[in-house]
Protein backbone atom coordinates (compact mmCIF):
# COMPACT_ATOMS: atom_id res chain seq x y z
CA UNK A 1 0.00 0.00 0.00
CA UNK A 2 2.87 2.37 0.91
CA UNK A 3 4.50 1.71 -2.45
CA UNK A 4 1.20 2.34 -4.24
CA UNK A 5 0.70 5.64 -2.41
CA UNK A 6 4.25 6.64 -3.26
CA UNK A 7 3.55 5.91 -6.94
CA UNK A 8 0.30 7.87 -6.77
CA UNK A 9 2.04 10.82 -5.16
CA UNK A 10 4.75 10.64 -7.85
CA UNK A 11 2.15 10.56 -10.61
CA UNK A 12 0.35 13.49 -9.02
CA UNK A 13 3.55 15.48 -8.83
CA UNK A 14 4.33 14.55 -12.44
CA UNK A 15 0.85 15.60 -13.49
CA UNK A 16 1.21 18.93 -11.72
CA UNK A 17 4.61 19.43 -13.28
CA UNK A 18 3.24 18.60 -16.74
CA UNK A 19 0.34 20.98 -16.21
CA UNK A 20 2.79 23.65 -15.14
CA UNK A 21 4.88 23.09 -18.25
CA UNK A 22 1.82 23.31 -20.47
CA UNK A 23 0.72 26.48 -18.74
CA UNK A 24 4.19 27.89 -19.22
CA UNK A 25 4.08 27.05 -22.91
CA UNK A 26 0.67 28.71 -23.26
CA UNK A 27 1.92 31.73 -21.32
CA UNK A 28 4.87 32.02 -23.71
CA UNK A 29 2.29 32.70 -26.42
CA UNK A 30 1.18 35.72 -24.44
CA UNK A 31 -2.53 35.00 -24.25
CA UNK A 32 -4.84 33.52 -21.62
CA UNK A 33 -8.60 33.50 -21.24
CA UNK A 34 -8.43 36.87 -19.48
CA UNK A 35 -5.43 38.76 -20.87
CA UNK A 36 -3.33 39.29 -23.99
CA UNK A 37 0.23 40.56 -23.78
CA UNK A 38 1.44 43.05 -26.41
CA UNK A 39 5.04 44.27 -26.73
CA UNK A 40 6.10 47.77 -27.77
CA UNK A 41 9.60 49.11 -28.40
CA UNK A 42 9.88 52.83 -28.93
CA UNK A 43 11.99 55.97 -28.62
CA UNK A 44 11.33 57.07 -25.06
CA UNK A 45 14.72 58.80 -24.83
CA UNK A 46 17.40 60.09 -27.20
CA UNK A 47 17.50 62.75 -29.94
CA UNK A 48 14.16 61.67 -31.43
CA UNK A 49 12.30 61.06 -28.17
CA UNK A 50 9.39 63.00 -29.69
CA UNK A 51 8.56 59.81 -31.60
CA UNK A 52 8.00 58.16 -28.22
CA UNK A 53 4.59 59.85 -28.16
CA UNK A 54 3.47 56.98 -30.43
CA UNK A 55 4.06 54.56 -27.55
CA UNK A 56 2.31 56.88 -25.13
CA UNK A 57 -0.67 57.21 -27.46
CA UNK A 58 -1.02 53.42 -27.58
CA UNK A 59 -0.94 53.37 -23.79
CA UNK A 60 -3.73 55.95 -23.59
CA UNK A 61 -6.08 53.95 -25.83
CA UNK A 62 -5.26 50.65 -24.14
CA UNK A 63 -5.81 52.14 -20.69
CA UNK A 64 -9.27 53.27 -21.80
CA UNK A 65 -10.36 49.89 -23.14
CA UNK A 66 -9.02 48.12 -20.06
CA UNK A 67 -10.92 50.55 -17.81
CA UNK A 68 -14.07 49.67 -19.76
CA UNK A 69 -13.57 45.95 -19.05
CA UNK A 70 -11.26 44.84 -21.84
CA UNK A 71 -11.59 43.66 -25.44
CA UNK A 72 -14.22 41.12 -26.41
CA UNK A 73 -12.36 39.02 -28.95
CA UNK A 74 -13.85 36.98 -31.73
CA UNK A 75 -13.68 33.77 -29.70
CA UNK A 76 -16.19 35.23 -27.24
CA UNK A 77 -13.73 35.84 -24.41
CA UNK A 78 -13.06 39.31 -23.00
CA UNK A 79 -9.43 40.07 -22.31
CA UNK A 80 -7.46 42.98 -20.91
CA UNK A 81 -4.43 44.16 -22.87
CA UNK A 82 -1.13 44.04 -21.00
CA UNK A 83 1.43 46.34 -22.60
CA UNK A 84 5.12 45.56 -22.12
CA UNK A 85 7.17 48.59 -23.18
CA UNK A 86 10.89 48.87 -23.89
CA UNK A 87 12.95 51.97 -24.78
CA UNK A 88 15.10 51.76 -27.92
CA UNK A 89 15.88 55.48 -28.54
CA UNK A 90 15.05 54.64 -32.20
CA UNK A 91 18.30 52.65 -32.43
CA UNK A 92 17.70 49.55 -34.63
CA UNK A 93 20.18 47.43 -32.64
CA UNK A 94 18.40 48.27 -29.40
CA UNK A 95 15.08 47.50 -31.07
CA UNK A 96 16.39 44.05 -31.97
CA UNK A 97 17.59 43.46 -28.40
CA UNK A 98 14.28 44.64 -27.00
CA UNK A 99 12.22 42.48 -29.34
CA UNK A 100 14.19 39.38 -28.36
CA UNK A 101 13.46 40.14 -24.70
CA UNK A 102 9.80 40.80 -25.41
CA UNK A 103 9.37 37.53 -27.30
CA UNK A 104 11.68 35.17 -25.41
CA UNK A 105 11.46 36.54 -21.85
CA UNK A 106 8.22 38.49 -21.59
CA UNK A 107 6.39 36.06 -23.87
CA UNK A 108 4.31 38.63 -25.75
CA UNK A 109 1.54 37.50 -28.09
CA UNK A 110 2.41 40.17 -30.65
CA UNK A 111 4.20 43.48 -31.16
CA UNK A 112 2.51 46.77 -32.03
CA UNK A 113 3.39 50.30 -33.05
CA UNK A 114 7.15 49.90 -33.47
CA UNK A 115 8.51 53.08 -35.05
CA UNK A 116 11.18 53.53 -37.69
CA UNK A 117 11.83 51.85 -41.01
CA UNK A 118 15.38 50.66 -40.11
CA UNK A 119 14.04 49.39 -36.79
CA UNK A 120 11.37 47.26 -38.43
CA UNK A 121 13.87 46.06 -41.01
CA UNK A 122 16.18 44.94 -38.20
CA UNK A 123 13.57 42.70 -36.57
CA UNK A 124 11.86 41.37 -39.69
CA UNK A 125 13.70 38.11 -40.24
CA UNK A 126 13.65 37.23 -36.53
CA UNK A 127 9.89 37.73 -36.31
CA UNK A 128 9.36 35.66 -39.45
CA UNK A 129 11.34 32.82 -37.90
CA UNK A 130 9.46 33.10 -34.60
CA UNK A 131 6.10 33.67 -36.33
CA UNK A 132 5.26 36.67 -34.15
CA UNK A 133 2.93 39.35 -35.57
CA UNK A 134 4.37 42.86 -35.93
CA UNK A 135 1.22 44.98 -36.05
CA UNK A 136 0.75 48.52 -37.30
CA UNK A 137 4.36 49.65 -37.42
CA UNK A 138 4.89 53.40 -37.54
CA UNK A 139 6.64 53.71 -40.90
CA UNK A 140 5.47 54.82 -44.32
CA UNK A 141 7.70 52.18 -45.95
CA UNK A 142 5.67 48.99 -46.14
CA UNK A 143 7.71 46.95 -48.61
CA UNK A 144 10.37 45.61 -46.29
CA UNK A 145 12.67 42.83 -47.46
CA UNK A 146 12.22 40.72 -44.31
CA UNK A 147 9.27 40.13 -42.05
CA UNK A 148 6.51 40.76 -44.56
CA UNK A 149 4.61 37.57 -43.73
CA UNK A 150 4.17 38.69 -40.12
CA UNK A 151 4.06 42.46 -40.64
CA UNK A 152 1.40 45.07 -41.20
CA UNK A 153 1.91 48.83 -41.33
CA UNK A 154 -0.66 51.50 -40.53
CA UNK A 155 0.16 54.98 -41.85
CA UNK A 156 0.04 55.73 -45.58
CA UNK A 157 3.03 54.95 -47.75
CA UNK A 158 5.38 57.89 -48.26
CA UNK A 159 4.83 57.39 -51.98
CA UNK A 160 1.16 58.27 -51.43
CA UNK A 161 2.07 61.47 -49.59
CA UNK A 162 4.56 62.39 -52.32
CA UNK A 163 1.87 61.85 -54.98
CA UNK A 164 -0.63 64.03 -53.07
CA UNK A 165 1.95 66.84 -52.74
CA UNK A 166 2.78 66.60 -56.45
CA UNK A 167 -0.90 66.66 -57.35
CA UNK A 168 -1.41 69.88 -55.43
CA UNK A 169 1.59 71.58 -57.02
CA UNK A 170 0.59 70.56 -60.53
CA UNK A 171 -2.73 72.33 -60.02
CA UNK A 172 -1.59 75.33 -57.99
CA UNK A 173 2.09 75.95 -58.81
CA UNK A 174 2.73 74.03 -62.03
CA UNK A 175 6.15 75.59 -62.69
CA UNK A 176 7.44 75.07 -59.15
CA UNK A 177 11.15 74.53 -58.54
CA UNK A 178 11.43 72.12 -55.63
CA UNK A 179 14.06 71.87 -52.91
CA UNK A 180 13.84 68.58 -51.03
CA UNK A 181 15.07 68.06 -47.47
CA UNK A 182 14.88 64.40 -46.54
CA UNK A 183 15.93 62.12 -43.71
CA UNK A 184 18.73 59.86 -44.91
CA UNK A 185 17.00 56.54 -44.30
CA UNK A 186 14.72 54.44 -46.45
CA UNK A 187 11.93 56.77 -45.28
CA UNK A 188 13.42 59.76 -47.08
CA UNK A 189 14.64 57.72 -50.01
CA UNK A 190 11.20 56.21 -50.55
CA UNK A 191 9.56 59.65 -50.41
CA UNK A 192 12.14 61.06 -52.84
CA UNK A 193 11.64 58.20 -55.29
CA UNK A 194 7.88 58.60 -55.04
CA UNK A 195 8.10 62.35 -55.63
CA UNK A 196 10.36 61.98 -58.67
CA UNK A 197 7.91 59.48 -60.14
CA UNK A 198 4.90 61.65 -59.34
CA UNK A 199 6.25 64.75 -61.14
CA UNK A 200 7.23 62.94 -64.32
CA UNK A 201 5.55 64.48 -67.35
CA UNK A 202 4.91 67.78 -65.57
CA UNK A 203 6.80 71.09 -65.44
CA UNK A 204 7.64 70.55 -61.78
CA UNK A 205 11.34 69.98 -61.18
CA UNK A 206 13.51 69.10 -58.20
CA UNK A 207 16.42 71.52 -58.41
CA UNK A 208 18.18 70.47 -55.18
CA UNK A 209 18.03 67.76 -52.55
CA UNK A 210 19.80 67.56 -49.20
CA UNK A 211 19.88 64.71 -46.67
CA UNK A 212 19.75 65.03 -42.87
CA UNK A 213 19.87 62.58 -40.00
CA UNK A 214 17.66 62.62 -36.94
CA UNK A 215 20.73 63.21 -34.77
CA UNK A 216 21.95 66.35 -36.60
CA UNK A 217 22.10 69.20 -34.04
CA UNK A 218 21.62 71.78 -36.79
CA UNK A 219 20.83 71.64 -40.50
CA UNK A 220 21.64 75.22 -41.51
CA UNK A 221 24.27 74.06 -44.01
CA UNK A 222 21.79 71.88 -45.89
CA UNK A 223 19.14 74.59 -45.82
CA UNK A 224 21.57 77.24 -47.07
CA UNK A 225 22.41 74.99 -50.02
CA UNK A 226 18.73 74.47 -50.80
CA UNK A 227 18.02 78.21 -50.61
CA UNK A 228 20.93 78.95 -52.96
CA UNK A 229 19.44 76.60 -55.56
CA UNK A 230 16.79 79.16 -56.46
CA UNK A 231 13.95 76.85 -55.41
CA UNK A 232 10.59 78.46 -54.68
CA UNK A 233 9.10 75.41 -52.97
CA UNK A 234 10.52 73.51 -50.00
CA UNK A 235 9.44 69.92 -49.39
CA UNK A 236 10.50 68.37 -46.09
CA UNK A 237 10.29 64.75 -44.98
CA UNK A 238 12.16 64.63 -41.68
CA UNK A 239 11.74 64.19 -37.95
CA UNK A 240 9.90 66.89 -35.96
CA UNK A 241 13.06 68.65 -34.79
CA UNK A 242 14.52 69.03 -38.29
CA UNK A 243 11.11 69.97 -39.74
CA UNK A 244 10.79 72.83 -37.25
CA UNK A 245 14.34 73.98 -37.99
CA UNK A 246 13.54 74.04 -41.70
CA UNK A 247 10.41 76.14 -41.15
CA UNK A 248 12.26 78.63 -38.94
CA UNK A 249 15.18 78.94 -41.39
CA UNK A 250 12.90 79.45 -44.39
CA UNK A 251 11.08 82.28 -42.62
CA UNK A 252 13.96 84.02 -40.85
CA UNK A 253 16.44 83.82 -43.74
CA UNK A 254 14.09 85.74 -45.99
CA UNK A 255 13.66 82.78 -48.34
CA UNK A 256 9.95 82.16 -47.67
CA UNK A 257 9.24 79.36 -50.20
CA UNK A 258 5.97 77.47 -50.32
CA UNK A 259 6.68 74.90 -47.61
CA UNK A 260 5.23 71.39 -47.57
CA UNK A 261 5.94 69.15 -44.58
CA UNK A 262 5.43 65.42 -44.31
CA UNK A 263 2.91 64.46 -41.63
CA UNK A 264 5.75 62.95 -39.59
CA UNK A 265 6.99 66.40 -38.56
CA UNK A 266 4.08 68.77 -39.05
CA UNK A 267 1.89 68.74 -35.92
CA UNK A 268 1.29 72.11 -34.22
CA UNK A 269 3.22 70.79 -31.22
CA UNK A 270 6.19 70.01 -33.44
CA UNK A 271 6.09 73.46 -35.03
CA UNK A 272 6.25 75.41 -31.75
CA UNK A 273 10.10 75.55 -31.72
CA UNK A 274 9.94 77.20 -35.16
CA UNK A 275 7.60 79.91 -33.89
CA UNK A 276 3.98 79.44 -34.92
CA UNK A 277 4.00 82.75 -36.79
CA UNK A 278 6.88 81.45 -38.91
CA UNK A 279 4.87 78.32 -39.69
CA UNK A 280 1.88 80.20 -41.07
CA UNK A 281 1.10 78.90 -44.55
CA UNK A 282 2.83 75.52 -44.10
CA UNK A 283 1.03 72.73 -45.97
CA UNK A 284 0.90 69.14 -44.79
CA UNK A 285 -1.09 65.97 -45.33
CA UNK A 286 -3.21 64.22 -42.71
CA UNK A 287 -5.37 61.16 -42.21
CA UNK A 288 -6.44 61.98 -38.63
CA UNK A 289 -9.04 64.51 -37.55
CA UNK A 290 -7.76 67.88 -36.34
CA UNK A 291 -7.76 67.93 -32.54
CA UNK A 292 -8.77 71.10 -30.73
CA UNK A 293 -10.22 71.66 -27.28
CA UNK A 294 -13.28 73.23 -28.90
CA UNK A 295 -14.02 70.26 -31.18
CA UNK A 296 -17.51 68.76 -30.93
CA UNK A 297 -16.60 65.59 -32.83
CA UNK A 298 -17.47 62.59 -30.57
CA UNK A 299 -14.25 60.71 -31.39
CA UNK A 300 -12.11 63.76 -30.67
CA UNK A 301 -13.95 64.37 -27.41
CA UNK A 302 -13.35 60.72 -26.43
CA UNK A 303 -9.68 61.04 -27.29
CA UNK A 304 -9.37 64.15 -25.13
CA UNK A 305 -11.16 62.40 -22.24
CA UNK A 306 -8.95 59.31 -22.53
CA UNK A 307 -5.85 61.52 -22.73
CA UNK A 308 -6.84 63.29 -19.51
CA UNK A 309 -7.76 60.06 -17.70
CA UNK A 310 -4.42 58.45 -18.56
CA UNK A 311 -2.45 61.58 -17.56
CA UNK A 312 -0.67 61.29 -20.89
CA UNK A 313 2.83 62.71 -21.21
CA UNK A 314 2.29 64.36 -24.59
CA UNK A 315 0.32 67.35 -25.80
CA UNK A 316 -3.17 66.62 -27.13
CA UNK A 317 -2.18 68.30 -30.41
CA UNK A 318 0.86 66.06 -30.91
CA UNK A 319 0.26 64.08 -34.10
CA UNK A 320 2.65 61.34 -32.93
CA UNK A 321 0.49 60.77 -29.86
CA UNK A 322 -2.64 60.79 -32.00
CA UNK A 323 -1.13 58.19 -34.33
CA UNK A 324 -0.30 56.07 -31.28
CA UNK A 325 -3.91 56.37 -30.12
CA UNK A 326 -5.11 55.32 -33.60
CA UNK A 327 -2.64 52.42 -33.47
CA UNK A 328 -4.15 51.30 -30.16
CA UNK A 329 -7.63 51.51 -31.69
CA UNK A 330 -6.54 49.50 -34.73
CA UNK A 331 -5.08 46.87 -32.39
CA UNK A 332 -8.38 46.66 -30.51
CA UNK A 333 -10.45 46.38 -33.71
CA UNK A 334 -8.15 43.59 -34.93
CA UNK A 335 -8.33 41.66 -31.67
CA UNK A 336 -12.13 41.87 -31.85
CA UNK A 337 -11.99 40.08 -35.20
CA UNK A 338 -9.74 37.21 -34.02
CA UNK A 339 -11.87 34.07 -33.68
CA UNK A 340 -9.06 31.83 -32.41
CA UNK A 341 -6.45 32.90 -29.84
CA UNK A 342 -3.48 32.18 -32.11
CA UNK A 343 -0.82 34.37 -33.63
CA UNK A 344 -1.72 33.11 -37.10
CA UNK A 345 -5.34 34.15 -36.62
CA UNK A 346 -4.19 37.58 -35.45
CA UNK A 347 -1.98 38.31 -38.46
CA UNK A 348 -4.67 36.92 -40.78
CA UNK A 349 -7.18 39.39 -39.32
CA UNK A 350 -4.75 42.32 -39.62
CA UNK A 351 -3.84 41.53 -43.22
CA UNK A 352 -7.46 41.09 -44.31
CA UNK A 353 -9.38 44.09 -42.99
CA UNK A 354 -12.48 45.40 -44.72
CA UNK A 355 -13.30 49.07 -44.16
CA UNK A 356 -12.62 48.90 -40.43
CA UNK A 357 -13.63 52.16 -38.78
CA UNK A 358 -11.41 54.06 -36.35
CA UNK A 359 -13.00 57.10 -34.76
CA UNK A 360 -10.04 59.50 -34.91
CA UNK A 361 -9.50 58.98 -38.65
CA UNK A 362 -10.85 61.57 -41.07
CA UNK A 363 -14.32 60.89 -42.51
CA UNK A 364 -13.99 58.50 -45.42
CA UNK A 365 -10.74 56.95 -44.14
CA UNK A 366 -11.00 53.32 -43.03
CA UNK A 367 -8.61 50.39 -42.64
CA UNK A 368 -8.66 47.99 -45.59
CA UNK A 369 -6.12 45.30 -46.47
CA UNK A 370 -6.35 42.40 -48.91
CA UNK A 371 -3.33 40.16 -48.55
CA UNK A 372 -4.06 37.88 -51.48
CA UNK A 373 -4.36 40.78 -53.92
CA UNK A 374 -1.24 42.49 -52.59
CA UNK A 375 -3.01 45.39 -50.88
CA UNK A 376 -0.86 45.73 -47.74
CA UNK A 377 -1.68 49.38 -47.01
CA UNK A 378 -4.37 49.89 -44.31
CA UNK A 379 -4.64 53.65 -44.98
CA UNK A 380 -4.41 54.91 -48.56
CA UNK A 381 -6.12 58.30 -48.32
CA UNK A 382 -4.85 61.74 -47.31
CA UNK A 383 -6.16 65.28 -47.10
CA UNK A 384 -4.10 68.43 -47.35
CA UNK A 385 -4.22 71.09 -44.64
CA UNK A 386 -2.71 74.58 -44.36
CA UNK A 387 -1.51 76.06 -41.06
CA UNK A 388 -3.10 79.42 -40.22
CA UNK A 389 -0.73 80.33 -37.40
CA UNK A 390 -2.77 78.55 -34.74
CA UNK A 391 -4.20 75.39 -36.27
CA UNK A 392 -4.59 73.55 -39.57
CA UNK A 393 -7.43 74.31 -41.98
CA UNK A 394 -8.59 71.89 -44.68
CA UNK A 395 -7.16 72.56 -48.13
CA UNK A 396 -9.38 70.65 -50.53
CA UNK A 397 -11.01 67.27 -50.05
CA UNK A 398 -9.83 63.75 -49.31
CA UNK A 399 -7.54 62.23 -51.93
CA UNK A 400 -7.95 58.45 -52.12
CA UNK A 401 -5.47 55.94 -53.51
CA UNK A 402 -7.43 52.96 -52.18
CA UNK A 403 -6.10 49.80 -53.80
CA UNK A 404 -3.60 51.76 -55.90
CA UNK A 405 -0.87 53.07 -53.63
CA UNK A 406 1.95 54.32 -55.88
CA UNK A 407 5.01 52.05 -56.00
CA UNK A 408 8.56 53.32 -56.14
Amino acid sequence: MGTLNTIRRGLLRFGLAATSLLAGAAGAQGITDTAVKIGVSGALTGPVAAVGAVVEGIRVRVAAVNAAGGVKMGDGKTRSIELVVQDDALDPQRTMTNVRKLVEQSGVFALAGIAGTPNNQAIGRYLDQRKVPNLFMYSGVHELADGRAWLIGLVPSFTTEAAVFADYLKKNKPDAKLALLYVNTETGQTFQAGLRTAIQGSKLQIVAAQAVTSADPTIDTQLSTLKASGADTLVVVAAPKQSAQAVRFAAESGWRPVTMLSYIGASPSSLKPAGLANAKGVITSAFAKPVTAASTDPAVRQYLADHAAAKARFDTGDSMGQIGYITGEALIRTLEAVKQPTRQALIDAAQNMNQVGVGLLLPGVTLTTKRDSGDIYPIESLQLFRFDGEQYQALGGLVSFEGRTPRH
Side-chain angles (χ1 to χ4, degrees):
M1 180 65 71
T3 301
L4 183 58
N5 286 336
T6 300
I7 293 172
R8 285 175 175 166
R9 285 194 296 271
L11 288 171
L12 179 60
R13 285 195 296 271
F14 175 80
L16 289 173
T19 301
S20 176
L21 285 171
L22 289 172
Q29 295 298 307
I31 190 164
T32 67
D33 286 347
T34 59
V36 57
K37 191 180 292 188
I38 303 296
V40 186
S41 180
L44 307 183
T45 60
V48 286
V51 179
V54 173
V55 178
E56 184 71 357
I58 296 172
R59 185 184 72 82
V60 169
R61 185 62 188 94
V62 166
V65 77
N66 285 344
V71 181
K72 186 174 183 180
M73 292 179 59
D75 63 354
K77 293 182 172 62
T78 299
R79 297 175 173 89
S80 61
I81 299 175
E82 179 186 345
L83 287 183
V84 185
V85 178
Q86 297 280 341
D87 177 22
D88 59 26
L90 214 64
D91 178 347
Q93 291 184 338
R94 286 180 62 177
T95 305
M96 183 71 253
T97 299
N98 288 349
V99 165
R100 285 185 179 277
K101 289 179 180 177
L102 290 167
V103 173
E104 298 173 22
Q105 297 178 23
S106 299
V108 299
F109 186 55
L111 302 166
I114 293 181
T117 301
N119 306 68
N120 284 283
Q121 286 174 319
I123 62 179
R125 183 171 300 177
Y126 172 79
L127 294 178
D128 258 359
Q129 293 170 346
R130 290 280 178 162
K131 302 188 186 310
V132 177
N134 183 11
L135 302 181
F136 309 122
M137 68 167 180
Y138 178 51
S139 168
V141 181
H142 297 243
E143 307 89 342
L144 302 185
D146 296 316
R148 287 175 293 180
W150 291 87
L151 169 76
I152 191 74
L154 178 69
V155 298
S157 168
F158 289 120
T159 59
T160 297
E161 186 175 45
V164 172
F165 281 7
D167 226 28
Y168 172 82
L169 292 171
K170 288 174 187 176
K171 295 173 183 175
N172 296 279
K173 198 174 176 61
D175 296 315
K177 296 179 180 179
L178 281 59
L180 176 63
L181 185 76
Y182 66 97
V183 62
N184 195 22
T185 66
E186 194 161 347
T187 291
Q189 292 156 9
T190 297
F191 184 98
Q192 181 175 189
L195 185 62
R196 291 187 183 280
T197 298
I199 66 175
Q200 285 180 0
S202 74
K203 294 182 180 179
L204 301 174
Q205 53 180 317
I206 299 173
V207 296
Q210 287 287 306
V212 298
T213 74
S214 297
D216 287 346
T218 178
I219 55 173
D220 284 359
T221 299
Q222 293 96 321
L223 290 167
S224 295
T225 300
L226 293 177
K227 179 186 176 185
S229 71
D232 54 27
T233 303
L234 173 63
V235 180
V236 180
V237 53
K241 177 182 176 181
Q242 283 76 29
S243 295
Q245 288 176 338
V247 169
R248 178 180 284 277
F249 179 94
E252 295 183 349
S253 69
W255 182 13
R256 295 197 174 277
V258 172
T259 300
M260 307 186 80
L261 300 184
S262 170
Y263 62 80
I264 64 176
S267 74
S269 297
S270 300
L271 293 176
K272 285 180 181 178
L276 294 185
N278 289 332
K280 188 174 181 179
V282 160
I283 296 170
T284 191
S285 71
F287 50 88
K289 294 173 180 175
V291 172
T292 65
S295 176
T296 59
D297 182 275
V300 173
R301 300 308 306 171
Q302 186 62 58
Y303 161 74
L304 293 173
D306 292 345
H307 183 281
K311 295 181 173 58
R313 296 184 291 271
F314 64 91
D315 187 89
T316 56
D318 189 332
S319 63
M320 299 283 187
Q322 293 165 17
I323 289 171
Y325 186 89
I326 291 169
T327 301
E329 179 75 11
L331 171 65
I332 291 164
R333 297 280 83 84
T334 304
L335 289 171
E336 289 173 343
V338 175
K339 295 182 179 179
Q340 295 179 334
T342 67
R343 287 169 168 165
Q344 185 66 58
L346 179 62
I347 196 63
D348 287 347
Q351 292 179 343
N352 295 282
M353 296 183 287
N354 185 23
Q355 296 184 334
V356 175
V358 173
L360 209 56
L361 293 176
L362 287 168
V365 180
T366 57
L367 308 181
T368 296
T369 50
K370 299 176 182 178
R371 182 173 60 200
D372 290 345
S373 63
D375 184 358
I376 59 173
Y377 310 93
I379 299 175
E380 297 179 275
S381 301
L382 287 166
Q383 185 171 359
L384 292 180
F385 287 79
R386 178 184 280 128
F387 194 66
D388 66 7
E390 295 182 1
Q391 60 190 29
Y392 280 103
Q393 303 292 342
L395 186 64
L398 192 70
V399 182
S400 175
F401 282 85
E402 183 57 52
R404 55 188 184 91
T405 283
R407 304 303 173 110
H408 69 284

